Amino acid sequence: MRLLATLLLCLALPAHAEGFLTRLLDKPVPGGVAVVPLGDGPVAPKARYQGKPVLVVKEDGKRWIAVVGIPLSIKPGSQTLEADGRQLSFTVGAKRYKEQHITLKNKEQVNPSPANLKRIERELAEQTSAYRLFSPGTPSNLLFDKPVNGPLSSRFGVRRFFNGEERNPHAGLDFAVPAGTPIKSPAAGKVILIGDYFFNGRTVFVDHGQGLISMFCHLSKVDVQLGQQLPRGGVVGRVGATGRATGPHMHWNVSLNDARVDPAIFIGAFEP
């Protein structure tokens, strides 16, 4: 009877039981993350999605997986990942995001002047370049720490309307915490960009490795220097309300293979 019970248990288990990272990160929706198995070869495969290199790590010390950032613009359906000449498919499911209506007194932050539009264009190019960086180091951890302790005030992907006019969806998480609260790096990384931008205010980009990048903005103070190596939990800066912000809060973006994805996935707070 014991042998029969063991056989039945084995038959009930999937051929490739999901590891911890797959259970944590595999949220294949627009703005989410897909985890794609790559096999158990001796060398890490090279993977690309939409022509961009993808984060590859070994899960539970056994098999290689690709951790793929899915842009918000992707429609539900089949997608293809290239890995060492192989074409691997994964399916993107549907997700409906809420709406958020915000009133701003500063009309320039809704419809900027031509001069400010030129500034915004320059700043966008600078930040896009940082998001596209792909350094070879493996991230120190993929289960992230929260950058601050506080309630979420706005989730990722929310369709935003400023003074009744629709603009880009919310590309990160907002935490409702007081001005001056220390912001801590959720994983070890290198400071790759510091700026003071029209929309984002004082901003810091931290590269965690292999295209996994955190961006913190609206800071009141920056406590790091360009090129600085940060440990997990290292202080990046202080919460503020610089740029386009209605009050002090901590805004955190996570980018993966140059796709802005839901940071809630990495802290175990994703909502389907």
Side-chain angles (χ1 to χ4, degrees), residues 80-158:
T80 301
L81 174 78
E82 181 182 340
D84 287 347
R86 295 178 294 158
Q87 301 293 315
L88 305 174
S89 63
F90 61 93
T91 301
V92 176
K95 180 173 170 60
R96 182 177 178 85
Y97 291 98
K98 297 178 181 179
E99 294 184 3
Q100 182 181 36
H101 293 260
I102 301 168
T103 300
L104 296 174
K105 293 180 180 179
N106 185 350
K107 302 299 189 292
E108 270 290 300
Q109 293 183 335
V110 181
N111 294 296
S113 66
N116 277 328
L117 284 173
K118 288 184 179 180
R119 174 188 171 184
I120 292 164
E121 187 176 340
R122 291 194 305 270
E123 293 174 351
L124 178 60
E126 190 173 276
Q127 293 173 84
T128 298
S129 179
Y131 278 129
R132 289 178 178 169
L133 180 70
F134 191 89
S135 58
T138 301
S140 65
N141 52 286
L142 291 174
L143 173 57
F144 279 175
D145 299 326
K146 290 182 181 179
V148 295
N149 287 319
L152 289 173
S153 56
S154 183
R155 284 192 168 268
F156 173 88
V158 172

Side-chain angles (χ1 to χ4, degrees), residues 18-217:
E18 288 186 347
F20 169 74
L21 291 178
T22 297
R23 293 193 299 273
L24 172 71
L25 301 175
D26 192 38
K27 315 296 179 189
V29 296
V33 172
V35 175
V36 182
L38 300 178
D40 57 0
V43 179
K46 303 272 188 196
R48 300 183 74 85
Y49 173 59
Q50 295 190 328
K52 297 174 181 177
V54 166
L55 169 64
V56 173
V57 295
K58 184 165 274 192
E59 181 175 42
D60 297 341
K62 297 175 183 177
R63 63 173 183 173
W64 298 104
I65 56 172
V67 184
V68 187
I70 306 169
L72 260 174
S73 58
I74 292 295
K75 304 297 183 187
S78 182
Q79 292 290 307
T80 301
L81 174 78
E82 181 182 340
D84 287 347
R86 295 178 294 158
Q87 301 293 315
L88 305 174
S89 63
F90 61 93
T91 301
V92 176
K95 180 173 170 60
R96 182 177 178 85
Y97 291 98
K98 297 178 181 179
E99 294 184 3
Q100 182 181 36
H101 293 260
I102 301 168
T103 300
L104 296 174
K105 293 180 180 179
N106 185 350
K107 302 299 189 292
E108 270 290 300
Q109 293 183 335
V110 181
N111 294 296
S113 66
N116 277 328
L117 284 173
K118 288 184 179 180
R119 174 188 171 184
I120 292 164
E121 187 176 340
R122 291 194 305 270
E123 293 174 351
L124 178 60
E126 190 173 276
Q127 293 173 84
T128 298
S129 179
Y131 278 129
R132 289 178 178 169
L133 180 70
F134 191 89
S135 58
T138 301
S140 65
N141 52 286
L142 291 174
L143 173 57
F144 279 175
D145 299 326
K146 290 182 181 179
V148 295
N149 287 319
L152 289 173
S153 56
S154 183
R155 284 192 168 268
F156 173 88
V158 172
R159 292 177 59 200
R160 295 184 303 174
F161 295 79
F162 291 99
N163 297 0
E165 298 185 34
E166 186 168 10
R167 294 294 184 264
N168 290 333
H170 194 228
L173 290 182
D174 286 350
F175 291 80
V177 288
T181 301
I183 300 168
K184 298 178 181 181
S185 184
K190 179 181 178 181
V191 179
I192 56 171
L193 182 63
I194 298 172
D196 191 352
Y197 300 125
F198 183 83
F199 286 131
N200 289 350
R202 294 190 183 97
T203 300
V204 176
F205 281 68
V206 177
D207 170 28
H208 303 297
Q210 291 196 55
L212 181 60
I213 292 167
S214 283
M215 186 274 278
F216 311 92
C217 65

